[in-house]
Amino acid sequence: MEMLTIGAFARACRLTPKALRLYDELDLLRPARVDPDTGYRYYAADQLEQARLVAWLRRLGMPLAGIRHVRSLDSGAAAAEIRAYWARVEAETAVRRDLAAFLVDHLTEEPGRDTTMTTLELRYRAHSDRGLVRPANQDTAYAGRRLLAVADGFGPAGATASGAAVEALRFLDTRETPAGGILNLLEDAVRDAARAVRDAADGAEEAGTTLTAMVWTGSRLALVHIGDSRAYLLRDGELFRVTHDHTVVQSMLDEGRLTPEEAASHPQRTLLLKALTGTESTTAVPDLRLHDARPGDRYLLCSDGLPSVVDDDTIGELLGTAPTPDEAVDALIAAANGAGGPDNISCVVADVVESAG
């Protein structure tokens, strides 16, 4: 078997000897032989492909623990794992991209430019329904002049947890905040909500809540989202899903491990990756972003009791045909109950309209 010194091997695989020594210590790439007297490392020629893979994955930004896992897999499974890793990177990058776009827009906005802050307002309705199967309602829905929120509680103190999370945001309904500062304010408010949930759950990790909320700034809606409640936007007759579910099944969909058809019947489709729970160690970082509003926009916030039994096409049709937020909420809840109502159903619908004043 042809053996290469660490220097020759480093030149061949385009890694430095220092990197090779590190990868040896981390059990990422062991040398084929170590001289017992000098401690000098020798590598086999057939290890070059493994070394190049490690180098490529490092350039991709994969953590060392992830590289170690990929190295332990066969080619097909390794390819799937790399695809899954990159899907996670793209999902995380999308959130930062939206924030960067807002910051560019905010910093380049011309002073004195009309931002329609006094010409637009919300018309809204919120309602929460127990559904037809659950013995109690653990959802909380709220709509006000500036705040829209849905929280879906779970566990023995779920109702208390969802109520506490929304209550922690209620001050935003009476506080006028410019778009430039609203994300920081929302981030602080979610930390307060997390503390309120921990108090309500009394330290029980199995109890907690999702939280999806939007705050109106006069020209934009700021979103905070954690869990699998959802926000949708109906604009010009087309429905857009604003949020991304923080669930095991959604992550498997993103990574190409499940088809939409398989996801719909997956036994872990309600298993959350992120939520506000009863223990501090499990509180996850929420998604935060800003959305420009236009007259005629219609927003929907809902717990998963709606989309779990009513598909997006039907949701879009019901939102598009209901003349008012009141009628839209009633129609959506009726559709969920008409499909069996297996879960609590909470809906908040808000229209962006020109102010009469």
Side-chain angles (χ1 to χ4, degrees), residues 2-353:
E2 182 185 357
M3 301 297 289
L4 300 174
T5 65
I6 189 170
F9 190 77
R11 288 190 295 274
C13 67
R14 299 192 177 185
L15 287 169
T16 66
K18 181 179 178 180
L20 289 172
R21 286 190 288 270
L22 174 64
Y23 297 160
D24 179 11
E25 294 168 6
L26 296 175
D27 197 25
L28 284 177
L29 185 66
R30 293 290 194 184
R33 185 172 72 85
V34 177
D35 189 290
D37 297 320
T38 65
Y40 211 71
R41 296 170 173 85
Y42 293 89
Y43 292 82
D46 61 9
Q47 288 184 285
L48 283 170
E49 192 63 30
Q50 301 169 21
R52 290 178 183 129
L53 176 61
V54 171
W56 291 331
L57 293 175
R58 288 296 288 154
R59 293 191 189 104
L60 195 62
M62 182 176 285
L64 294 177
I67 295 174
R68 186 182 297 109
H69 178 57
V70 169
R71 284 272 292 104
S72 69
L73 303 173
D74 60 40
S75 297
E81 190 63 31
I82 294 169
R83 187 186 304 114
Y85 165 75
W86 193 247
R88 291 192 295 272
V89 170
E90 288 184 324
E92 293 165 1
T93 302
V95 174
R96 297 198 298 272
R97 182 190 62 224
D98 290 345
L99 180 56
F102 158 70
L103 290 172
V104 170
D105 181 63
H106 176 66
L107 292 171
T108 57
E109 188 174 87
E110 296 177 11
R113 190 182 75 180
D114 180 15
T115 60
T116 70
M117 289 188 69
T118 60
T119 63
L120 297 179
E121 63 182 22
L122 299 180
R123 295 282 187 267
Y124 48 83
R125 164 86 186 289
H127 186 64
S128 186
D129 189 90
R130 181 173 61 85
L132 304 179
V133 175
R134 296 292 177 89
N137 191 352
Q138 294 189 306
D139 285 2
T140 298
Y142 177 85
R145 192 161 64 96
R146 291 192 177 93
L147 175 66
L148 314 170
V150 166
D152 182 355
F154 55 85
T160 307
S162 69
V166 172
E167 185 62 31
L169 303 186
R170 284 280 295 271
F171 76 97
L172 296 169
D173 202 29
T174 56
R175 178 169 177 173
E176 187 169 347
T177 305
I182 189 62
L183 289 181
N184 288 336
L185 188 62
L186 257 181
E187 192 170 26
D188 292 341
V190 171
R191 279 195 287 266
D192 292 339
R195 284 191 289 269
V197 169
R198 289 196 295 271
D199 291 342
D202 197 25
E205 185 176 351
E206 67 273 14
T209 186
T210 68
L211 179 63
T212 300
M214 302 188 90
V215 180
W216 176 244
T217 70
S219 61
R220 294 183 174 105
L221 279 158
L223 169 76
V224 60
H225 168 67
I226 186 165
D228 64 350
S229 295
R230 290 185 180 177
Y232 292 89
L233 166 63
L234 185 73
R235 174 175 285 175
D236 298 329
E238 188 173 357
L239 187 71
F240 303 91
R241 200 167 120 194
V242 175
T243 53
H244 197 71
D245 291 349
H246 298 145
T247 62
V248 169
V249 164
Q250 183 62 57
S251 70
M252 295 172 75
L253 272 170
D254 296 340
E255 295 163 3
R257 300 182 183 185
L258 285 179
T259 66
E261 293 74 24
E262 291 169 335
S265 58
H266 196 280
Q268 292 182 311
R269 61 186 177 277
T270 61
L271 187 60
L272 296 171
L273 290 175
K274 289 186 180 183
L276 302 178
T277 70
T279 59
E280 187 167 5
S281 61
T282 57
T283 299
V285 177
D287 295 343
L288 293 164
R289 65 186 67 176
L290 274 157
H291 291 266
D292 286 321
R294 299 180 191 172
D297 285 350
R298 172 168 282 181
Y299 284 88
L300 165 68
L301 276 63
C302 61
S303 60
D304 70 329
L306 176 67
S308 64
V309 291
V310 181
D311 61 60
D312 283 4
D313 288 342
T314 303
I315 289 173
E317 181 182 352
L318 294 173
L319 282 175
T321 55
T324 67
D326 295 71
E327 291 166 286
V329 167
D330 290 343
L332 291 165
I333 291 176
N337 280 327
D343 199 357
N344 307 148
I345 314 139
S346 291
C347 295
V348 174
V349 174
D351 290 347
V352 180
V353 299

